[in-house]
Amino acid sequence: MSFWYNVDTGQVETDDNRSRGEQVLGPYATEAEARAALDTAHKKTEQWDSEDRDWNERGRSASGDGDA
């Protein structure tokens, strides 16, 4: 069974009662993972933003002119 986090209601849902649409995050293997969905998404976003900054800095360094 998969678990889902509904961002509108703040509730964990299962395959049996999952809302349809963009308001659910998942699937997650456990109810605990689903409950932590917003924290997990926040951490991943921070990581990706950091990787993007690093990528952009490398591009500027490689171009030599700072306009990349």
Side-chain angles (χ1 to χ4, degrees), residues 20-51:
R20 303 291 178 218
E22 297 176 357
Q23 73 271 21
V24 293
L25 300 175
Y28 296 95
T30 67
E31 185 174 350
E33 289 176 349
R35 288 200 187 286
L38 291 180
D39 186 46
T40 300
H42 179 74
K43 287 177 182 176
K44 286 183 178 181
T45 299
E46 285 182 341
Q47 177 185 351
W48 294 330
D49 287 347
S50 176
E51 290 170 358

Side-chain angles (χ1 to χ4, degrees), residues 4-8 13 18-26:
W4 307 80
Y5 181 79
N6 186 314
V7 296
D8 289 343
E13 302 174 354
R18 176 171 71 104
S19 300
R20 303 291 178 218
E22 297 176 357
Q23 73 271 21
V24 293
L25 300 175

Side-chain angles (χ1 to χ4, degrees), residues 56-68:
N56 290 332
E57 286 299 318
R58 283 194 303 274
R60 278 192 210 103
S61 297
S63 70
D65 62 6
D67 291 337

